[in-house]
Structures are given as C-alpha cells and as structure tokens.
C-alpha cells in the first residue's frame, strides 16, 4: 500500500517520498487514505493518455510506459500534430515509488493542469481558460520604496493585495484588475469582478480567487471548459487529471 499526503497550505498532493510539500515547502501536511502502489515495473496498472481535443482529431490513446517519454510535435516518443507544441514540449516519467510525473521542458506555451480543487497561487502563476490567459501578480509595496526624499506619485492605493492581468499575443499585458476584496470572480457574467460578456467559451462564473490569511487560492466554479494552471516544475499526476498542452487536451486514465 502507498501512503499519500495533502498539504494544508497549498492543497498539493504527494507521496511519503517527501517530508515536506514539494510545491510550497510547508511541513503542515496531513495523511490521506492509503492507495495501492502503481508501479510501471509491476504491470498491475496501466497509465494512458487520451486525446479529448485536438484540431487533427480526438480519441487517440497514448500508453505511458516505464521509461521516460517525451511529448511534442516532432519527436520519436510521443508525436502530436499541434503547431502550438514545441518539438520537445514535456516529459512523462515515474519515480522509484511508481508515481507518474509530468515536466515542462521549457516550452513556449507551457503545460497546464486542470484545477480540480482549491489550490494555492504563487506569484507569476499563469491561469488559462479556453483561449484566455491571465497572469497572477502579488503586490509587494517594498518594490516601490525609494531612497530619496521625494514621494512617488501614483494612482490612489486601494489596499489591493494582488492583480490579475490578461496576457495578449507576444506576452503583452492587456486589461488588468487589482483586488482588495476577499473573493474575486472571473467569467462571462457582468456581475463578476472581471467580466468578458462576449466570450462564449467562458462560463458566466468561471473561476474565483479567494484571499485567505494573506494567501490567494484558485477555485474553478464548475465551468464548462475548465480552469487550468500552468505548472512551474515537475508535477505528480493522478487518475482523472486533465492536461492542456498547446491546443491539445489530454485526459489521464490509470486502470
């Protein structure tokens, strides 16, 4: 049997390979129910990716073998026809305990994991909803302090804790909203804090950011097309996880 833990700080999940959360380094963790070991060496269970959205078609099944496998648009391991993918985009591999991980190989468009539960946001995290991208930025007043006697003139400060900015073509910043409220919502409805009424791919209330004890948490509000968070480093995967690479959506099955 394999023991798993959940971080009370960022809600990340990981195995007893770690004595602290690999995402936020918190030691405030709790044990989850024991799970049978999934080892690629034991042929007991099989991990498979299924393409559920791609311009070239859907339904293709991709078995994940025990060796490290590279996914991209031009490679001999897992080749997917998607012009938004790097030639070498991401890697899937198992650790010694049989856990499956995905790693972004410095791709341009990143690797995104669909948000299934509340998750802690880090400064500079990127959120994707269909074809919209948002950059999460914490405000640090220390960045604006000066060593001179002269005041720094600016718009009135509303005690905002963070801001959410659209990322446009080429990485340019688009519309941005700063937030000083406990909750901040994004969606198609004009009743949300950050509204996009003409975007049919967004749900009326798509996702929410909650500010709790000086931390920001991201929650998907049961949106139709999902909310995805770009991974920053190697990320453990579980059965039912959904990945977004380029314009291709992949669903993980472990049976």
């Amino acid at each position: 049997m394999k023991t798993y833990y959940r971080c009370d700080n960022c809600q990340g999940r990981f195995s007893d390979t770690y004595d602290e959360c690999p995402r936020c380094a918190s030691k405030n963790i709790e044990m989850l129910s024991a799970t049978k070991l999934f080892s690629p060496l034991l042929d007991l269970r099989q991990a498979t990716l299924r393409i559920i959205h791609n311009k070239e078609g859907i339904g293709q099944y991709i078995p994940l073998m025990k060796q490290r496998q590279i996914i991209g648009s031009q490679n001999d391991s897992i080749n997917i026809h998607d012009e938004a993918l790097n030639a070498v985009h991401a890697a899937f591999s198992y650790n010694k305990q049989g856990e499956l991980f995905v790693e972004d190989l410095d791709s341009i468009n990143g690797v995104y994991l669909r948000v299934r539960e509340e998750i802690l946001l880090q400064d500079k995290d990127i959120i994707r909803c269909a074809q919209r991208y948002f950059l999460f930025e914490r405000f640090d007043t220390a960045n604006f302090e000066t060593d001179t006697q002269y005041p720094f003139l600016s718009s009135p400060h509303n005690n905002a804790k963070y801001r959410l900015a659209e990322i446009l073509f080429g990485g340019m910043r688009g519309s941005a909203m700063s937030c000083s409220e406990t909750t901040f919502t994004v969606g198609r409805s004009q009743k949300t804090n950050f509204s996009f009424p003409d975007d049919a791919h967004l749900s009326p209330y798509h996702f929410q950011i909650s500010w709790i004890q000086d931390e920001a948490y991201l929650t998907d509000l049961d949106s139709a097309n999902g909310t995805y968070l770009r991974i920053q480093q190697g990320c453990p995967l579980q059965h039912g996880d959904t990945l977004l690479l380029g314009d291709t959506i992949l669903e993980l099955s472990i049976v």
Side-chain angles (χ1 to χ4, degrees), residues 183-194:
T183 58
F184 183 88
T185 53
V186 177
R188 199 174 69 247
S189 171
Q190 294 185 350
K191 294 182 179 180
T192 58
N193 299 100
F194 209 172

Side-chain angles (χ1 to χ4, degrees), residues 117-180:
E117 55 192 13
E118 186 178 74
I119 187 169
L120 176 68
L121 285 173
Q122 307 287 349
D123 188 38
K124 307 302 182 184
D125 268 345
I126 298 177
I127 302 165
R128 180 175 177 181
C129 305
Q131 294 302 315
R132 289 195 182 273
Y133 296 78
F134 300 94
L135 175 66
F136 171 81
E137 295 180 301
R138 293 183 64 119
F139 282 137
D140 186 355
T141 55
N143 294 335
F144 305 101
E145 295 177 353
T146 64
D147 297 328
T148 71
Q149 61 179 320
Y150 305 106
F152 186 91
L153 298 180
S154 67
S155 299
H157 188 264
N158 65 350
N159 296 317
K161 302 300 183 183
Y162 62 89
R163 77 167 186 168
L164 201 63
E166 278 192 282
I167 302 175
L168 304 181
F169 180 78
M172 295 179 60
R173 301 291 189 271
S175 301
M177 292 284 290
S178 59
C179 183
S180 58

Side-chain angles (χ1 to χ4, degrees), residues 196-216:
F196 301 88
D198 298 326
D199 191 335
H201 298 290
L202 291 181
S203 293
Y205 291 85
H206 201 99
F207 70 85
Q208 173 179 288
I209 297 176
S210 304
W211 189 259
I212 304 172
Q213 297 182 345
D214 205 36
E215 297 288 1

Side-chain angles (χ1 to χ4, degrees), residues 16 20 43 49 52 57 74 76 81 99 106 124 135 143 146 169 173-174 176 182 186 198 201 227 230 233 245:
D16 55 9
E20 62 180 25
D43 246 6
L49 292 172
I52 59 176
Q74 299 177 26
D76 296 328
H81 296 289
E99 293 176 301
D106 296 322
K124 307 302 182 184
L135 175 66
N143 294 335
T146 64
F169 180 78
R173 301 291 189 271
T182 304
V186 177
D198 298 326
H201 298 290
T227 301
R230 185 167 184 170
Q233 52 189 350
L245 288 73

Side-chain angles (χ1 to χ4, degrees), residues 51-60 80-81 247-249:
I51 297 178
I52 59 176
H53 176 80
N54 180 272
K55 293 180 180 179
E56 297 292 326
I58 62 175
Q60 178 184 352
I80 294 179
H81 296 289
D247 285 324
T248 300
I249 301 177

